[in-house]
Amino acid sequence: MDSRSVSNFELKAINAWDKRNFRRGIKSLFLEYCSNSTVHGVKYFGCKRRTLFEKIWWIATFLLSVYGCSRLIQNIYRKWDQTPVIVSFAEKSTPVWQIPFPAVTICPETKALSQYINFTEVYSQINETYRAEMDDETFDRIRALAQVCDSHILRDVPLNQTTDPNVVDWLRNVSMPLEKALFFCRWRRTPGLCTDHFTETITNEGICFTFNSLSAGEMLRVDKLHSDYEYISEKRQAPLWSLENGYSENTDMDTYPERVLGAGARAGLYILLNLYKHDTDFICRGPVQGFKILLHPSSEFPQVSKQYYRVPLHQEVIISVKPQMITTSDGLRDYTPEGRQCFFNHERYLRFFKVYTQQNCEMECNTNYTLHKCGCVKFSMMRDNLTDVCGASMIDCYNEAEDELLEEDVKYMVNKTRNFRARCNCLPACTSIQYDAEISQADLDWKSLFAAYRTPLDDEPGAQFARLTIYFKEAQFITSKRSELYGLTDFLANCGGLLGLFMGVSLLSLAELFYFCSIRPFTILRMLRVKRRESNAIFPPPIVEVKAKEF
């Protein structure tokens, strides 16, 4: 082997390993790395021309740089791991025709027609003579109404009914029909019967009427539900729309769920509401008579008692809707639901709902907790054939269960394993729509209006009207979007910047370190074997140590 064809460091390395001294070989390899490394400061570690103080100073400076760089990389990793998602405004505004018009659920405050039961009269009889003079049918009706009236009304009356499988039948029997409560409708400037647009829905407020909701077969797992009654009587299908994907391309305007082309009252929904004066009852629902209104997504089951707007009698209420929509970028699909803080529809299975939304999940959670605490559920809650419907004597139980469930997050803040609400894991849906509203209100002099048109109301004696108009405030709105705050590329770029700032390290510097730890020792050993073969070719070989100049 020609010694002139190799460098001084290679000669020193070969001689060090040739003496079969492992420690000297490692030291030689380390000195070679220090002399050739591109990492800042490392070349001063093995330089013999530096004093011991200089070497110690450089080693201490290098270690401080490594420590500072490691701490900052640790902070970046924690941020990447714990908060990888940011919610920001989308690049473009969204036209209102790309989303459904809000589903509208209307619940009359009059829960029973006087021709079937006069709640005020019966209530006075209960306080005086109670059960002795009351027939069974009236008593069954009063117990059913107790579940939709104010909860404190019959609290002190022993109703003696833990389960009531017929409560919905009784409520349907006494409630105001749709065609009477919704007197006239106009949708997108086209007048028509309200029965063409609204259908009956069983809610926690009793029998209500809903516009633009998905059908039971598309929202609910009908095969898992009982067969006693339908929660949603809507039959129209929505094959060209889904919450996550929106409307299909080339979908015409007559698709379902309904949508509008623009903003303004002319493109919205107009309803003339009606309650009869002789049916008005101030004990069951209190002094405010009229209707409760809930705006909700078409894929969400209405829970009217949680949030609603009021439409009092003899008033006109105008609701100007502002949609709030949040979408999620495709780049977040590989993240865990906990990391992105939302569920795609296929990721979270609900027992009774086909469509995952946070409200649907919380309703199912409330149902499970009520069943666990009371042994039955409220008539408006989803259930199977083996679950009982709570009777009138269980009203306090299921109301207390709902309140207790809301306290779980605070009560078990430290020990999450005991938190029933946390175990439900009701994160928001990755695509969600909410409908915020601005409301204006004015007196409605409907008597003067009918008089001016010379329209008698002989066919509707005792009618009391209210008017409701709902429309989008603007033709376009700003959508929010979940996207990556720190992706893998951003994390590596930040780490590379810190390594470059503190130590001048690049990807090739890491490759260099790997080279000296793996490939380089084998190369030296191979050169050593070549040298020994050349030495053994001449016998007896002169033992000459090749010395290199000191660095």
Side-chain angles (χ1 to χ4, degrees):
M1 179 178 181
D2 189 0
S3 61
R4 292 173 298 179
S5 64
V6 295
S7 67
N8 288 341
F9 277 108
E10 289 173 331
L11 292 173
K12 290 186 69 176
I14 293 172
N15 289 332
W17 287 97
D18 193 32
K19 292 179 180 293
R20 292 179 173 81
N21 190 326
F22 179 78
R23 186 175 179 181
R24 288 187 60 186
I26 294 297
K27 179 180 178 181
S28 174
L29 186 64
F30 174 72
L31 293 176
E32 183 181 358
Y33 170 73
C34 292
S35 300
N36 294 281
S37 176
T38 57
V39 180
H40 294 176
V42 173
K43 66 180 180 179
Y44 299 115
F45 294 171
C47 182
K48 293 185 176 181
R49 291 177 294 177
R50 307 294 173 185
T51 64
L52 179 62
F53 174 77
E54 289 178 303
K55 292 181 179 179
I56 293 174
W57 189 88
W58 275 110
I59 291 174
T61 302
F62 180 80
L63 292 176
L64 285 174
S65 295
V66 171
Y67 174 77
C69 184
S70 300
R71 289 301 300 270
L72 292 178
I73 289 178
Q74 184 182 16
N75 292 338
I76 291 175
Y77 175 79
R78 188 181 299 113
K79 191 172 184 178
W80 177 51
D81 181 61
Q82 296 179 0
T83 56
V85 177
I86 185 173
V87 179
S88 58
F89 292 119
E91 296 82 5
K92 297 180 179 179
S93 58
T94 303
V96 293
W97 52 263
Q98 287 189 2
I99 63 171
F101 195 79
V104 182
T105 297
I106 302 176
C107 299
E109 289 288 68
T110 297
K111 301 303 180 183
L113 300 180
S114 59
Q115 68 185 86
Y116 300 115
I117 183 171
N118 189 319
F119 190 86
T120 301
E121 182 180 339
V122 174
Y123 179 75
S124 63
Q125 291 178 6
I126 288 179
N127 285 344
E128 295 173 3
T129 62
Y130 183 50
R131 184 74 179 89
E133 300 179 2
M134 188 179 297
D135 60 89
D136 292 339
E137 183 176 348
T138 301
F139 192 53
D140 287 335
R141 287 176 175 176
I142 201 71
R143 290 192 295 191
L145 283 173
Q147 299 206 46
V148 294
C149 292
D150 292 339
S151 58
H152 66 277
I153 298 300
L154 300 175
R155 179 169 294 171
D156 298 329
V157 178
L159 296 172
N160 302 324
Q161 188 188 40
T162 56
T163 63
D164 185 4
N166 300 315
V167 58
V168 173
D169 292 333
W170 288 117
L171 290 175
R172 279 202 178 108
N173 179 260
V174 300
S175 64
M176 175 171 284
L178 188 157
E179 60 273 11
K180 293 291 186 180
L182 307 185
F183 195 81
F184 174 79
C185 290
R186 185 174 67 234
W187 166 243
R188 291 191 322 208
R189 293 181 294 175
T190 302
L193 298 175
C194 293
T195 51
D196 294 336
H197 302 287
F198 283 83
T199 54
E200 186 181 277
T201 305
I202 307 299
T203 75
N204 46 15
E205 287 284 322
I207 310 300
C208 299
F209 315 113
T210 301
F211 165 80
N212 213 32
S213 171
L214 290 185
S215 65
E218 292 177 316
M219 186 191 300
L220 307 175
R221 302 187 190 276
V222 181
D223 57 321
K224 302 291 185 180
L225 295 171
H226 63 88
S227 56
D228 297 339
Y229 51 84
E230 288 184 325
Y231 293 91
I232 303 171
S233 59
E234 178 62 66
K235 304 301 181 185
R236 287 173 289 183
Q237 301 295 307
L240 301 179
W241 178 85
S242 67
L243 182 61
E244 288 188 358
N245 301 319
Y247 288 100
S248 301
E249 293 184 3
N250 303 321
T251 303
D252 58 32
M253 283 303 300
D254 293 329
T255 188
Y256 193 82
E258 305 276 6
R259 55 179 176 170
V260 296
L261 286 174
R266 294 182 60 184
L269 177 66
Y270 170 95
I271 313 165
L272 186 62
L273 304 166
N274 171 43
L275 290 179
Y276 295 97
K277 187 173 184 179
H278 52 266
D279 293 325
T280 304
D281 187 283
F282 291 94
I283 291 183
C284 178
R285 300 297 295 183
V288 180
Q289 296 298 306
F291 299 85
K292 286 182 178 178
I293 309 296
L294 174 66
L295 307 183
H296 56 97
S298 299
S299 56
E300 190 170 282
F301 193 82
Q303 300 183 68
V304 182
S305 61
K306 287 192 172 183
Q307 48 185 345
Y308 56 86
Y309 306 104
R310 280 197 181 275
V311 180
L313 294 175
H314 313 293
Q315 294 281 311
E316 179 184 34
V317 176
I318 297 176
I319 300 180
S320 177
V321 179
K322 298 179 64 176
Q324 299 290 337
M325 185 175 181
I326 299 180
T327 60
T328 301
S329 64
D330 291 335
L332 292 179
R333 287 187 176 270
D334 294 332
Y335 283 70
T336 63
E338 290 73 21
R340 73 173 98 90
Q341 283 295 292
C342 69
F343 281 116
F344 287 103
N345 194 57
H346 68 278
E347 294 178 324
R348 181 69 168 89
Y349 177 85
L350 296 178
R351 182 184 178 191
F352 297 119
F353 291 93
K354 287 183 178 179
V355 182
Y356 178 85
T357 69
Q358 190 173 28
Q359 289 293 330
N360 289 347
C361 178
E362 289 183 352
M363 181 180 180
E364 190 164 297
C365 181
N366 188 22
T367 301
N368 294 335
Y369 189 78
T370 303
L371 179 61
H372 170 74
K373 180 177 175 60
C374 305
C376 59
V377 298
K378 190 174 181 178
F379 68 90
S380 60
M381 294 178 175
M382 307 299 158
R383 62 181 179 88
D384 56 23
N385 285 315
L386 301 178
T387 304
D388 291 326
V389 179
C390 291
S393 60
M394 302 296 290
I395 294 174
D396 285 341
C397 183
Y398 62 64
N399 285 335
E400 290 171 4
E402 183 174 357
D403 294 337
E404 288 178 11
L405 185 62
L406 294 175
E407 296 173 1
E408 292 274 300
D409 289 340
V410 178
K411 190 175 180 180
Y412 300 114
M413 186 176 296
V414 177
N415 187 4
K416 294 292 186 183
T417 59
R418 299 182 62 189
N419 188 341
F420 192 97
R421 182 179 170 89
R423 293 200 300 271
C424 292
N425 196 22
C426 292
L427 296 175
C430 287
T431 300
S432 60
I433 305 175
Q434 292 182 343
Y435 298 96
D436 295 339
E438 296 179 359
I439 297 178
S440 59
Q441 196 167 331
D443 292 332
L444 178 65
D445 190 359
W446 57 271
K447 292 182 180 180
S448 299
L449 177 64
F450 277 91
Y453 277 103
R454 297 181 180 179
T455 303
L457 289 174
D458 297 337
D459 296 335
E460 303 292 337
Q464 301 176 104
F465 292 103
R467 193 162 67 181
L468 173 65
T469 304
I470 304 172
Y471 58 86
F472 282 122
K473 182 179 181 180
E474 298 174 348
Q476 295 187 341
F477 62 97
I478 301 297
T479 305
S480 298
K481 186 177 183 179
R482 291 184 187 89
S483 54
E484 284 184 317
L485 176 61
Y486 280 105
L488 180 60
T489 302
D490 302 304
F491 174 71
L492 292 176
N494 279 278
C495 291
L498 290 173
L499 289 169
L501 174 65
F502 280 86
M503 297 180 293
V505 174
S506 66
L507 186 61
L508 289 179
S509 301
L510 300 178
E512 189 178 70
L513 180 62
F514 174 79
Y515 166 75
F516 275 98
C517 291
S518 58
I519 299 175
R520 183 59 179 159
F522 290 103
T523 303
I524 293 175
L525 292 175
R526 179 177 175 277
M527 295 172 64
L528 176 62
R529 286 195 297 268
V530 173
K531 176 178 177 293
R532 286 176 179 173
R533 285 197 299 268
E534 291 178 353
S535 298
N536 292 334
I538 303 173
F539 185 81
I543 302 176
V544 179
E545 180 175 339
V546 182
K547 294 185 178 181
K549 294 182 180 181
E550 292 183 354
F551 175 70

